[in-house]
């Protein structure tokens, strides 16, 4: 009998797996000490309690401060009511809730089929992924943004399009990268959802401009164009096309022309593949491809931003259940995304090995953009269901024809014909001309903590309280 063949065996397996995950997380020097959440909390505290601007704040001992659009600071205002530790707790709860929703959208039906065991194993495996664990330990907002965008994907796929676009609009107002999904809505010929997304993003931005006019003016005229506020392009954590070119050119500046050509190529592949997915009604596939393109095209894509690869991994594993080769590929990509392999080139990304190894996650993203199995048969997609009201009702069975008493009696239908009639639908009186129908259905001056516990948690000054 297999180990997982009984409830006791399954429980022992989950406990062993959870212990291994906990040991890995506690011993591998990759914890980030909630660095980014300290930035959020410190910036809001400086704004509300000290009369400063959120964009003037810097974490003590570093050059890093708030880099998101003003609306992000507005929705983080409640942090001014909490101490840092309470803010960390709230941030963890929000990320847990977002993760739960993402799992529901991507694999809810499969997880329900496998019960608590499938859910426990999936959560353990998810906790090992570097982008996921970094999002939690940095106190980042990536999973919340992913949940907002996938919420729109779910609405569109289940026929509840009335509110579609709200999630994408909010995500784009909090952080600029998700705005690419508005373009996807246009490709999908969803003008109402695209209009909703633009309207929500514009309204949120206007609200922020009303609440904090000076900060908004500074952000949209200066800060948004200055990537050095975020970090060095050649830093190994920058797993975007711009990061690849910056590491190749280091110490010189990367070629803008080379980036433009690479970006155009990625855009072309994305539009081509997304349109094919949409033509096959594969909404999740189109959203997954768009997340990949966003990671490649963004000037800076830190490793923790790569949670946008989760929909692609879900599709790949789902398809791998039917095609063993794809399951091996999915497992290999998952292992690489857990390995933190790019940090081996933290100090020196020169040479062929540096070019290949320091950009590992970029190659994974590119490979998925080119080869992700989308637009496949319905069985490869998440089993989202349309509401009953979105499906045409089944036609009522035709009333039997009246036969005059004087007419000769019809011959008895054969059993094969009866079986066929039962399988296809109600009988139709062909003598009335009726017809049968279906029944329906990157390395900074003061290193940003990205690779080790020392880099992640040491400050030259006490962190903000």
């Amino acid at each position: 009998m297999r180990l997982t063949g009984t409830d006791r065996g399954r429980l022992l397996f989950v406990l062993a797996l959870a212990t291994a995950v906990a040991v890995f997380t506690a011993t591998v020097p990759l914890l980030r000490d909630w660095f980014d959440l300290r930035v959020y909390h410190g910036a809001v505290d400086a704004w509300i309690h000290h009369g400063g601007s959120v964009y003037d704040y810097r974490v003590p001992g570093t050059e890093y401060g708030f880099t998101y659009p003003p609306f992000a600071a507005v929705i983080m205002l409640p942090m001014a009511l909490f101490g840092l530790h309470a803010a960390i707790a709230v941030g963890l709860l929000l990320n847990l809730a977002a993760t739960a929703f993402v799992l529901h959208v991507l694999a809810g039906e499969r997880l329900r089929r496998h019960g608590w065991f499938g859910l426990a194993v999936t959560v353990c495996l998810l906790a090992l992924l570097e982008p996921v664990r970094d999002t939690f330990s940095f106190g980042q907002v990536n999973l919340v943004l992913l949940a907002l965008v996938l919420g729109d994907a779910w609405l569109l796929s289940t026929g509840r399009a009335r509110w579609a676009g709200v999630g994408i609009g909010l995500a784009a107002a909090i952080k600029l990268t998700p705005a690419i999904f508005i373009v996807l809505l246009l490709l999908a010929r969803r003008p109402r959802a695209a209009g909703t997304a633009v309207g929500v993003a514009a309204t949120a931005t206007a609200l922020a401009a009303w609440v904090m006019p000076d900060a908004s003016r500074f952000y949209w005229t200066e800060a948004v164009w200055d990537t050095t506020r975020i970090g060095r392009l050649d830093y190994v954590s920058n797993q975007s096309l711009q990061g690849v070119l910056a590491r190749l050119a280091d110490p010189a500046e990367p070629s803008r022309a080379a980036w433009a050509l690479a970006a155009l190529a990625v855009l072309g592949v994305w539009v081509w593949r997304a349109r094919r997915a949409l033509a096959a009604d594969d909404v999740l596939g189109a959203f997954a491809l768009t997340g990949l393109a966003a990671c490649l095209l963004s000037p800076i894509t830190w490793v923790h931003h790569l949670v946008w690869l989760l929909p692609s991994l879900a599709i790949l594993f789902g398809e791998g259940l039917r095609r063993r080769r794809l399951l091996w590929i999915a497992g290999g990509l998952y292992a690489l995304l857990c390995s933190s392999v790019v940090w081996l080139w933290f100090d020196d990304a020169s040479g062929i090995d540096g070019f290949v190894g320091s950009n590992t996650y970029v190659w994974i993203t590119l490979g998925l953009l080119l080869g992700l199995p989308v637009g496949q048969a319905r069985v490869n997609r998440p089993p989202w269901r349309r509401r009953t009201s979105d499906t045409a009702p089944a036609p009522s069975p035709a009333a039997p024809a009246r036969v005059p008493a004087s007419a000769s009696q019809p011959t008895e239908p054969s059993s094969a014909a009866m079986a066929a009639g039962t399988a296809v639908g109600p009988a139709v009186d062909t003598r009335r001309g009726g017809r049968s129908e279906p029944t329906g259905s990157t390395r900074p001056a003061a290193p940003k903590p990205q690779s080790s516990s020392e880099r992640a948690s040491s400050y030259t000054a006490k962190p903000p309280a």
Side-chain angles (χ1 to χ4, degrees):
M1 181 178 292
R2 293 179 301 172
L3 174 64
T4 58
T6 64
D7 286 341
R8 183 173 181 271
R10 294 187 186 97
L11 180 59
L12 290 175
F13 179 82
V14 168
L15 289 175
L17 182 60
T19 300
V21 171
V23 170
F24 176 86
T25 304
T27 58
V28 176
L30 295 169
L31 296 178
R32 315 304 188 182
D33 198 29
W34 292 282
F35 184 90
D36 288 353
L37 192 141
R38 292 174 184 270
V39 172
Y40 309 152
H41 185 269
V44 171
D45 181 73
W47 171 29
I48 299 301
H49 298 299
H50 304 283
S53 170
V54 292
Y55 297 110
D56 291 336
Y57 174 80
R58 295 291 184 273
V59 173
T62 78
E63 291 298 317
Y64 294 100
F66 198 82
T67 59
Y68 292 170
F71 180 68
V74 171
I75 64 172
M76 292 177 183
L77 268 175
M79 281 189 178
L81 303 175
F82 308 136
L84 177 62
H85 292 94
I88 289 172
V90 172
L92 285 172
L93 290 174
L94 284 174
N95 272 326
L96 285 171
T99 303
F101 182 75
V102 168
L103 283 175
H104 168 71
V105 172
L106 296 180
E109 195 68 29
R110 292 193 186 101
L111 292 178
R112 280 189 289 272
R113 286 203 301 266
H114 295 283
W116 68 269
F117 178 69
L119 178 62
V121 171
T122 300
V123 169
C124 287
L125 296 177
L126 195 62
L128 289 175
L129 273 173
E130 185 176 7
V132 174
R133 64 176 189 254
D134 272 7
T135 292
F136 273 88
S137 61
F138 269 122
Q140 259 284 346
V141 298
N142 308 305
L143 284 165
V144 174
L145 300 180
L146 177 61
L148 287 170
V149 169
L150 285 181
D152 280 349
W154 180 79
L155 289 172
L156 291 171
S157 296
T158 55
R160 300 170 173 88
R162 180 178 180 182
W163 296 102
V166 174
I168 291 174
L170 287 173
I174 295 169
K175 199 170 183 178
L176 298 179
T177 305
I180 191 174
F181 287 93
I182 299 176
V183 182
L184 176 64
L185 293 175
L186 295 174
L187 289 176
R189 298 180 181 178
R190 296 280 189 166
R192 176 174 175 175
T196 299
V198 171
V200 169
T203 301
T205 302
L207 173 64
W210 177 71
V211 174
M212 44 196 309
D214 293 336
S216 294
R217 187 181 305 110
F218 171 77
Y219 179 82
W220 294 111
T221 59
E222 296 184 41
V224 70
W225 313 108
D226 185 8
T227 58
T228 61
R229 290 178 56 86
I230 305 174
R232 289 283 299 275
L233 292 174
D234 62 339
Y235 189 43
V236 74
S237 182
N238 184 15
Q239 294 293 302
S240 68
L241 293 175
Q242 189 78 287
V244 175
L245 295 174
R247 285 186 285 275
L248 277 174
D250 186 47
E253 290 295 316
S255 168
R256 294 185 179 181
W259 179 84
L261 288 173
L264 284 174
V266 166
L267 277 171
V269 172
W270 166 61
V271 170
W272 169 58
R273 299 215 67 210
R275 291 184 67 177
R276 292 191 63 180
L278 291 167
D281 199 28
D282 188 357
V283 176
L284 178 62
F287 271 73
L289 291 170
T290 307
L292 298 171
C295 290
L296 293 168
L297 295 171
S298 176
I300 290 181
T301 298
W302 300 132
V303 169
H304 54 78
H305 295 160
L306 295 175
V307 294
W308 293 102
L309 271 62
L310 287 177
S312 298
L313 292 175
I315 291 173
L316 199 58
F317 273 106
E319 179 65 15
L321 296 176
R322 297 195 316 119
R323 298 159 62 184
R324 186 64 60 88
R325 180 175 62 88
L326 286 180
L327 190 59
W328 282 103
I329 292 174
L333 296 183
Y334 167 81
L336 284 172
L337 287 167
C338 292
S339 68
S340 302
V341 63
V342 298
W343 299 106
L344 295 174
W345 289 271
F346 173 80
D347 294 313
D348 183 10
S350 62
I352 296 178
D353 65 315
F355 175 70
V356 175
S358 69
N359 301 309
T360 299
Y361 298 163
V362 180
W363 311 140
I364 290 175
T365 309
L366 272 172
L368 288 170
L369 181 65
L370 291 168
L372 186 68
V374 298
Q376 306 291 310
R378 175 66 61 180
V379 71
N380 300 335
R381 307 177 199 164
W384 294 334
R385 296 172 179 170
R386 293 186 180 273
R387 295 176 298 175
T388 304
S389 59
D390 295 324
T391 306
S396 301
R402 296 181 181 274
V403 182
S406 59
S408 60
Q409 295 297 320
T411 57
E412 184 76 8
S414 67
S415 59
M418 293 178 65
T422 303
V424 174
V428 178
D429 181 14
T430 57
R431 289 174 296 175
R432 294 189 175 188
R435 56 187 178 88
S436 61
E437 295 182 8
T439 58
S441 305
T442 190
R443 208 170 18 234
K448 185 173 182 178
Q450 296 276 359
S451 65
S452 71
S453 58
E454 180 179 351
R455 297 185 184 102
S457 59
S458 60
Y459 297 89
T460 56
K462 185 178 179 181

